[in-house]
Amino acid sequence: MLTINGKEYEFNGRTVSEVIAELGYNEQQIAVELNESIVPKAQYKSTVLYEGDHLEVVRFVGGG
Amino acid sequence: MCIPTREEMYAALAERHGEELQKKLSAASVAVCGLGGLGSNIAIALARAGVGSLHIIDFDKVDISNLNRQQYFPEQLGMFKTDALYDTLKRIAPYCDITRDCIKLNDENIPSLLTEDIIAEAFDKADQKAMLVNCILEKMPGKYLVSGSGMAGIGSSNTIRTRRITERFYLCGDGVADVADGLGLVSSRVLVCAAHEANAIIRIIAGETDAC
């Protein structure tokens, strides 16, 4: 199990890109931190998630 | 009309805020990226607090649709926001060191343009917010970054909060109220989020980086 924004998921072995798509996020409107480090957008497809990882997905909304 | 001297302004602020905090505010430099509902209010709050240097950045002009929440006057319609806000900030804090850049920020120019230690993200489009945040976190991780997301409508002010996402990245707003959902931006609630950003910045300057 790994956590995404505090909730547990069975996404071991999946890439950040796959997980983002599955959870319905728009890649252009988010920032992703994996274990407290930013995941560059260029590395979404190549970054694989493992047991115990902690992902924080920040979704930005319009207005300001 | 004679305005107070630099020393008189500083002394008045130090009396309010305490000498220790005022010294830190005076030495601080903050970049405000976007000068709309969030940015114009953040810049004014920081200028009033006596932040020593402000770098204000926006490519846009003052429009009548801005006047419901942004700190511009009807007589400034058509002016570049950088120029209009510069004038206002100089009236508020004549001794604040203000640089302005009338430019659209992007991945390429951000690293060379943003030299300040603390950055306020104050754009209005979600993908621009994401672009700036990703760029800073990736390329300039030593900087403090305060961002705002989710402030549309007139829902409760109590759902707007400040969260510390990582060591130097703070996110203000309710995270969900989106203009894309047809909710308009109203001065009061935008102000709540802008105040959260300004206060987070002042707390960072003061060294209160642990809690929100």
Side-chain angles (χ1 to χ4, degrees), chain B:
Chain B
M1 177 76 212
C2 227
I3 64 166
T5 63
R6 179 190 288 271
E7 292 71 27
E8 284 169 339
M9 290 286 293
Y10 182 91
L13 287 168
E15 182 149 356
R16 277 283 179 190
H17 302 151
E19 176 65 48
E20 200 187 319
L21 176 57
Q22 204 54 45
K23 229 170 133 179
K24 292 176 181 172
L25 288 166
S26 233
S29 62
V30 181
V32 182
C33 305
L35 303 178
L38 280 176
S40 62
N41 283 297
I42 291 167
I44 283 175
L46 297 179
R48 286 210 181 272
V51 166
S53 301
L54 287 175
H55 183 185
I56 56 174
I57 304 149
D58 199 311
F59 64 90
D60 214 352
K61 292 183 176 173
V62 181
D63 182 79
I64 195 169
S65 63
N66 301 152
L67 301 182
N68 78 325
R69 68 202 183 279
Q70 303 185 19
Q71 292 292 347
Y72 300 104
F73 304 99
E75 70 223 32
Q76 292 177 321
L77 289 177
M79 280 180 80
F80 281 112
K81 288 185 176 180
T82 41
D83 294 334
L85 191 62
Y86 179 92
D87 289 348
T88 302
L89 290 172
K90 273 294 178 183
R91 289 184 66 195
I92 288 169
Y95 307 108
C96 178
D97 183 14
I98 306 170
T99 23
R100 50 191 144 161
D101 271 306
C102 186
I103 193 167
K104 186 161 188 181
L105 288 173
N106 58 46
D107 250 331
E108 278 89 51
N109 60 28
I110 283 169
S112 54
L113 269 170
L114 301 185
T115 55
E116 293 69 25
D117 300 324
I118 302 171
I119 299 175
E121 178 284 303
F123 292 146
D124 59 1
K125 293 201 172 6
D127 54 355
Q128 290 301 299
K129 291 174 180 294
M131 180 277 297
L132 180 73
V133 168
N134 277 288
C135 187
I136 303 291
L137 293 179
E138 256 182 74
K139 299 181 185 175
M140 303 143 95
K143 304 217 184 269
Y144 283 95
L145 173 62
V146 180
S147 171
S149 175
M151 69 208 71
I154 54 166
S156 172
S157 303
N158 293 332
T159 54
I160 288 176
R161 50 193 194 112
T162 299
R163 282 170 56 210
R164 188 186 191 192
I165 308 292
T166 56
E167 198 193 337
R168 291 173 191 216
F169 171 40
Y170 301 75
L171 184 65
C172 307
D174 65 25
V176 292
D178 191 344
V179 290
D181 298 331
L183 294 169
L185 293 166
V186 183
S187 60
S188 48
R189 209 155 183 270
V190 171
L191 258 173
V192 175
C193 190
H196 267 257
E197 286 201 57
N199 196 47
I201 289 165
I202 288 175
R203 284 171 60 73
I204 290 164
I205 291 169
E208 306 277 348
T209 52
D210 280 345
C212 288

Side-chain angles (χ1 to χ4, degrees), chain A residues 7-59:
Chain A
K7 283 171 70 173
E8 290 193 319
Y9 293 88
E10 287 276 15
F11 281 143
N12 301 355
R14 307 282 290 280
T15 65
V16 166
S17 206
E18 286 167 356
V19 164
I20 294 305
E22 178 135 348
L23 294 176
Y25 288 108
N26 176 341
E27 273 198 15
Q28 296 312 307
Q29 297 180 355
I30 59 174
V32 178
E33 298 258 349
L34 174 59
N35 303 327
E36 302 269 308
S37 288
I38 185 79
V39 180
K41 283 212 188 297
Q43 292 173 24
Y44 283 5
K45 287 195 162 70
S46 57
T47 302
V48 181
L49 301 172
Y50 296 107
E51 177 80 25
D53 274 343
H54 169 68
L55 208 65
E56 182 79 38
V57 181
V58 176
R59 185 177 79 98

